[in-house]
Amino acid sequence: MATVADFSSLVLKSTRHGLLASIREDADWSHIVVELSSLSTCGEGLLSETSITFDFGWREVTEAQFDRVIEVLHEQKLSCNGILSTSLNTRTIAEERGYRAIIGRLGLAKHQGRRLRREQEEGVSLSTASTQDASSIVKDRQEETPPPEPAQQDAEVVAEQVVESETEQEQERESLSDPESFEASWESSQEVSSPSQEGVHLPRFQDEEPTLYLRKTLRGGQKVVFAGNVVLIGDLNPGAQIEADGDIIVMGRLRGSVHAGAEGDETSTVITSSLRATQLRIADRFWEGNKTNSMFKKSPLTGTQKARLDGDSVVVEAIPVR
Amino acid sequence: MGKVIVVTSGKGGVGKTTCTANIGAGLASQGHSVVLIDTDIGLRNLDLVLGLENRIVFDLVDVVEGKCRSFRQAMIKDKRFENLHILASAQSREKDAVKPEQMKKLCKELKSEFDYIILDCPAGIEMGFKNAIAGADEAIVVTNPEVSAVRDADRIVGLLEAAEITDIRLILNRVKPGLIQRGQMLSVSDVQGILNIELLGQVPEDERIVHSSNRGEPAILDPRSKAGMAYRNVVARILDPAVPMVSPQTSIWSKLRRVLTADLGAQVG
């Protein structure tokens, strides 16, 4: 996935399945319309006669607003491919107008949006100051640094958020395991970029992270790349790969290659019921305990194993079964 | 209505052409009309191992390009087997000379005329492979009990499943029972642990195969060939899946050794 354009209220990315516009939930609607009107100037004016998928997240879009979006797109000879939304009303509105609507939220421009939602719930009104802060932060992707303040707030209110974000996560999981959802497709070399910035470690909140749940055996040559945790119920044959930003759990024979914490998160773990990986990596470290050819020699490790990073090396310990 | 079977492997040199030739000959000798197609464009060898290369005038590329009237003009009938025909590949062209849609169309036409259409797939996963599987209903994956062959076969099975070919069976070729016994070669269960597809047959390593290829006589005709015997078993199992599979026999010495050690064990224990 590559960022085509980074506006203050929306981010335009190009994915394998087409263009995706992620609309920030806390952005002002008129602001969004203005930026949508200049979509065709992106990508050096090459953006025309294409169709774009819109990720509205949990924003409630009214009928008038939706129609306005379509109108603005039409003026630029663009069209809407479908929408992603966790709001039932928004999805209904889209479907009534004949657009595909998937339950979900990738929220690739999400950080400030989450704070807004919390503020809204706590009855704190949106101040223009905070949107300005937000937009000044979401400028250039390379220059981005996470604002330390929201992170602290995250920690304080995470308990109250648990129930709400679980549903959100479930919804995300639903959309991500829905075979129609373009981000769930795991066919070889499908890539989903991580929302975290490069080289910066954001605190991870496991209950808020998307998780991909697969129930099949991955054969050699098949690769899963996911910005979150991956759970595989089935074998990972030699030659198959899983690359996850979060944890990896394989209930089956892990004989392929796995990379947890692919974006640099050193707290990631790999748990499997049968560890015979040809390659196991956590963040930027390699597991050194598997020099033999996994297909042929029998692994001395029996039982469920958990691999994690301890300092500079990957340690593997058995998980006792009571 | 005929069946189109593609014989593929991923890895080269595991025995696809040998299997295609022998299975085709075997099915024909049981009274079924068979056409073998060599889809390895540029590196043709199916006609060679059957000893028919001196009669090839038109080839597969000529058929799809329309240079000959029809496939009937290009097909060669084998003189030893009443019902065996072969459509050879082109020696001087490349894999892009044929497209998957053309193969699909050809297979469809052949299905109404023959009981079995067997396609000898080239090694690899590129255009040649895509051409060969385009018109196929079933697949036979050939592999050796060797790590890189099995890895490649696994990839191939994944690609076949993605192409919605669900009837995939395995032939384990060039098996050396002695090595397996000594734990130096992958066993059937090791291989199945990765591939997990229905096992059609096991064919032992046999020096007589070289002999067969040299003379252009499929091993199935050679009474001294152990591989030939195994191929006959494979053909029987294709026609009737209830036929039991014959495992490659270990040498008389290892059998003797097993008997002796068993006896000793009994005495001591």
Side-chain angles (χ1 to χ4, degrees), chain A:
Chain A
M1 203 190 290
T3 307
V4 175
D6 206 341
F7 294 108
S8 60
S9 68
L10 63 94
V11 172
L12 189 64
K13 293 205 182 250
S14 88
T15 75
R16 186 187 160 92
H17 294 267
L19 288 168
L20 169 72
S22 230
I23 316 276
R24 284 218 354 244
E25 287 100 335
D26 60 346
D28 205 28
W29 186 257
S30 45
H31 204 52
I32 293 175
V33 173
V34 164
E35 285 178 354
L36 280 177
S37 319
S38 56
L39 267 183
S40 54
T41 59
C42 303
E44 285 133 51
L46 293 171
L47 213 66
S48 75
E49 321 239 314
T50 44
S51 93
I52 306 176
T53 307
F54 286 87
D55 176 9
F56 288 110
W58 44 257
R59 176 189 276 273
E60 296 282 340
V61 180
T62 65
E63 294 199 0
Q65 287 174 335
F66 194 87
D67 288 334
R68 185 84 182 95
V69 169
I70 302 296
E71 209 185 299
V72 164
L73 290 177
H74 244 66
E75 282 162 15
Q76 302 170 81
K77 295 217 188 72
L78 300 169
S79 60
C80 172
N81 193 24
I83 70 158
L84 243 70
S85 169
T86 56
S87 145
L88 180 59
N89 293 330
T90 311
R91 289 200 310 274
T92 315
I93 291 171
E95 278 167 350
E96 278 168 7
R97 282 149 180 73
Y99 294 98
R100 205 161 54 117
I102 295 175
I103 306 174
R105 171 180 173 277
L106 284 167
L108 294 172
K110 76 178 174 191
H111 297 290
Q112 279 63 41
R114 194 181 282 158
R115 175 157 67 125
L116 164 69
R117 191 167 192 192
R118 224 171 287 123
E119 281 171 0
Q120 284 185 341
E121 262 140 37
E122 289 167 29
V124 175
S125 59
L126 217 206
S127 67
T128 29
S130 66
T131 16
Q132 272 173 3
D133 277 351
S135 49
S136 63
I137 287 163
V138 180
K139 230 193 272 180
D140 191 347
R141 207 156 183 258
Q142 278 132 353
E143 289 167 1
E144 261 176 321
T145 45
E149 209 189 328
Q152 282 169 8
Q153 284 188 357
D154 279 356
E156 281 160 41
V157 297
V158 77
E160 288 140 77
Q161 265 228 292
V162 165
V163 174
E164 179 251 331
S165 58
E166 260 174 13
T167 356
E168 196 180 83
Q169 189 195 330
E170 254 170 41
Q171 286 175 334
E172 277 178 339
R173 213 184 300 135
E174 239 177 79
S175 79
L176 293 160
S177 50
D178 168 7
E180 296 233 310
S181 160
F182 55 82
E183 292 301 341
S185 155
W186 54 263
E187 249 100 318
S188 10
S189 342
Q190 173 63 21
E191 283 204 78
V192 175
S193 87
S194 161
S196 63
Q197 294 87 8
E198 278 152 24
V200 176
H201 303 306
L202 297 172
R204 283 179 59 211
F205 300 104
Q206 280 81 357
D207 51 350
E208 293 178 345
E209 265 203 346
T211 300
L212 184 63
Y213 178 85
L214 293 168
R215 251 200 328 194
K216 60 197 318 140
T217 288
L218 293 182
R219 290 195 177 265
Q222 293 172 347
K223 181 174 179 181
V224 176
V225 180
F226 190 68
N229 310 309
V230 175
V231 174
L232 176 70
I233 314 284
D235 288 346
L236 187 73
N237 276 3
Q241 297 167 267
I242 298 180
E243 215 176 276
D245 286 354
D247 300 337
I248 296 176
I249 299 177
V250 175
M251 296 317 283
R253 290 174 288 192
L254 201 175
R255 290 184 289 199
S257 110
V258 287
H259 188 184
E263 285 281 319
D265 185 348
E266 295 179 348
T267 64
S268 308
T269 60
V270 176
I271 300 177
T272 171
S273 56
S274 169
L275 181 59
R276 291 142 185 260
T278 49
Q279 195 186 89
L280 190 151
R281 298 166 64 189
I282 297 183
D284 55 356
R285 304 288 168 195
F286 286 82
W287 179 43
E288 303 282 334
N290 61 337
K291 301 273 197 293
T292 60
N293 185 327
S294 73
M295 209 194 298
F296 200 1
K297 301 250 169 77
K298 309 296 173 196
S299 162
L301 297 166
T302 49
T304 309
Q305 305 285 336
K306 172 172 164 172
R308 60 184 179 85
L309 211 53
D310 187 2
D312 262 355
S313 52
V314 177
V315 297
V316 170
E317 35 201 29
I319 296 183
V321 175
R322 284 176 224 292

Side-chain angles (χ1 to χ4, degrees), chain B residues 71-87:
Chain B
F71 57 78
R72 263 176 230 95
Q73 222 193 351
M75 271 175 3
I76 303 290
K77 207 155 112 113
D78 190 313
K79 296 222 165 84
R80 294 160 298 206
F81 302 94
E82 175 73 41
N83 307 301
L84 182 62
H85 304 80
I86 169 171
L87 184 55

Side-chain angles (χ1 to χ4, degrees), chain A residues 219-220 237-238 253 255 298, chain B residues 151 154-155 190 193-195:
Chain A
R219 290 195 177 265
N237 276 3
R253 290 174 288 192
R255 290 184 289 199
K298 309 296 173 196
Chain B
R151 285 279 182 108
D154 191 38
R155 180 90 207 264
D190 290 330
I194 309 268
L195 296 179

